[in-house]
């Protein structure tokens, strides 16, 4: 199965290929090539060094890198891909390697990458106004995720917990539920989270809430008591204590200074 578009050097597609699939371009291409494996297994052969790619793997080939890739024997390779030109300076944030393979273990980040590729394909098919810019924006999102992954190593389970905290920031959080969602005991999760982020889970959640509260107090006309509940606190005194802890002043003083 193949669906693709081409405008200048920006191409993208969605393939499901059997083990007869192989591409060889000894001279490579003048553009970048990005893959995201959804299911199955492919391989990349770089000067005799063979690396496999499985579900959740992002593979990036620099311009001029020889192409030799395909589906592993007895496998089916389900993947999305994009060729893109060197105008995307976000690639400067990535390691200077001919071939970069990153394993994305977090399910939420995998879904985010897949949705970005889906938008690229949909926008390119519709060809509405600014479609190229929309596709470029989605591609940049993926490149920034890659840059984030290569600049700071963090356990995928902690990434998932941070995502859950942001997603359910306004709701009561139980460490036992978070631990179960990532397959750890509550004590092990608490230890690993503190070691990875420098803060406890509850401190991180409260800091997240206060950061959002600061923005709302600074840029909206909502009162401190309204913002308190908007960001997930159920008790105003607790909100003011946390605000003072993270901001260094209480909400009323902050509003007088900033508004």
């Amino acid at each position: 199965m193949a669906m693709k578009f081409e405008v200048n050097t920006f191409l993208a597609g969605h393939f499901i290929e059997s083990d007869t699939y192989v591409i060889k371009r000894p001279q490579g291409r003048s553009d970048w090539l990005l893959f995201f494996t959804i299911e199955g297994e492919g391989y990349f052969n770089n000067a005799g060094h063979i690396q496999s790619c499985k579900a959740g793997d992002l593979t990036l080939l620099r311009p001029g890198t020889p192409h030799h890739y395909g589906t592993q024997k007895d496998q089916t390779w389900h993947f999305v891909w994009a060729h893109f030109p060197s105008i995307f300076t976000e690639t400067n944030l990535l390691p200077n390697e001919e071939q970069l393979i990153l394993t994305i273990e977090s399910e939420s980040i995998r879904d985010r990458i897949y949705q970005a590729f889906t938008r690229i394909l949909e926008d390119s098919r519709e060809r509405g106004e600014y479609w190229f810019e929309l596709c470029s924006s989605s591609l940049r999102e993926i490149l920034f995720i890659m840059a984030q992954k290569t600049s700071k190593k963090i356990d995928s389970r902690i990434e998932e917990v941070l995502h859950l905290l942001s997603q359910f920031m306004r709701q009561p959080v139980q460490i036992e539920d978070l631990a179960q969602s990532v397959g750890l005991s509550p004590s092990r999760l608490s230890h690993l989270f503190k070691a990875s982020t420098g803060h406890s889970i509850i401190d991180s959640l409260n800091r997240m809430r206060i950061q959002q509260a600061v923005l709302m107090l600074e840029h909206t006309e909502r009162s401190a008591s309204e913002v308190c509940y908007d960001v997930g606190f159920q008790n105003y005194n607790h909100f003011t204590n946390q605000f003072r802890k993270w901001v260094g002043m209480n909400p009323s003083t902050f509003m007088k200074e900033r508004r």
Side-chain angles (χ1 to χ4, degrees):
M1 180 187 73
M3 295 176 284
K4 67 180 182 179
F5 65 85
E6 180 172 8
V7 171
N8 297 325
T9 56
F10 199 146
L11 303 91
H14 183 175
F15 286 1
I16 301 177
E17 299 291 346
S18 69
D19 63 2
T20 60
Y21 177 72
V22 60
I23 296 294
K24 293 182 179 181
R25 300 187 188 106
Q27 305 305 316
R29 286 176 54 114
S30 61
D31 54 9
W32 295 76
L33 178 54
L34 177 66
F35 296 81
F36 181 58
T37 299
I38 301 167
E39 292 179 329
E41 186 176 350
Y43 69 87
F44 289 84
N45 185 339
N46 188 359
H49 177 56
I50 299 176
Q51 290 181 276
S52 65
C53 54
K54 300 180 181 180
D57 284 351
L58 276 166
T59 306
L60 181 67
L61 302 182
R62 283 184 171 267
T65 302
H67 292 185
H68 181 178
Y69 58 85
T71 305
Q72 287 280 28
K73 183 175 175 57
D74 300 323
Q75 295 287 327
T76 298
W77 189 20
H78 182 186
F79 62 99
V80 283
W81 55 268
H83 284 276
F84 60 94
S86 296
I87 61 172
F88 294 91
T89 57
E90 292 78 10
T91 55
N92 294 333
L93 301 173
L94 301 174
N96 187 20
E97 300 177 9
E98 285 190 341
Q99 179 177 295
L100 175 65
I101 297 181
L102 291 177
T103 298
I104 308 298
E105 297 178 345
S106 167
E107 288 296 334
S108 60
I109 297 179
R110 287 188 185 188
D111 183 65
R112 184 172 183 173
I113 292 168
Y114 178 69
Q115 293 303 322
F117 266 109
T118 298
R119 290 195 301 272
I120 290 172
L121 290 167
E122 290 176 350
D123 288 329
S124 68
R125 294 182 191 124
E126 294 175 14
R127 297 294 181 97
E129 190 173 9
Y130 306 122
W131 73 269
F132 185 84
E133 288 76 11
L134 289 168
C135 291
S136 299
S137 178
S138 296
L139 175 64
R140 286 188 169 98
E141 180 179 355
I142 299 171
L143 294 177
F144 278 126
I145 289 173
M146 296 181 72
Q148 190 178 57
K149 290 286 292 182
T150 55
S151 65
K152 183 178 181 181
K153 301 295 184 182
I154 185 169
D155 191 290
S156 62
R157 295 165 295 187
I158 303 306
E159 284 185 326
E160 189 66 22
V161 169
L162 288 169
H163 171 72
L164 291 171
L165 291 178
S166 66
Q167 187 176 17
F168 301 108
M169 184 184 72
R170 299 178 64 183
Q171 302 177 21
V173 170
Q174 299 294 328
I175 294 178
E176 292 78 8
D177 294 338
L178 293 172
Q180 185 177 17
S181 70
V182 295
L184 294 171
S185 69
S187 60
R188 176 57 180 160
L189 172 61
S190 297
H191 175 78
L192 186 60
F193 191 97
K194 181 72 175 288
S196 299
T197 68
H199 298 285
S200 69
I201 294 173
I202 298 303
D203 273 350
S204 294
L205 174 61
N206 285 332
R207 184 176 66 165
M208 195 178 293
R209 287 169 169 169
I210 295 302
Q211 287 172 336
Q212 184 67 18
V214 165
L215 293 173
M216 296 183 72
L217 290 174
E218 192 169 11
H219 299 289
T220 74
E221 298 301 319
R222 297 181 74 75
S223 68
S225 59
E226 289 174 320
V227 168
C228 164
Y229 296 105
D230 286 339
V231 300
F233 288 100
Q234 302 303 310
N235 181 285
Y236 186 75
N237 288 334
H238 183 42
F239 169 65
T240 57
N241 289 337
Q242 287 297 314
F243 199 96
R244 193 178 298 111
K245 173 181 177 178
W246 295 105
V247 182
M249 64 185 76
N250 61 39
S252 59
T253 303
F254 178 84
M255 287 190 291
K256 288 177 183 178
E257 292 188 358
R258 298 300 180 94
R259 288 186 176 178

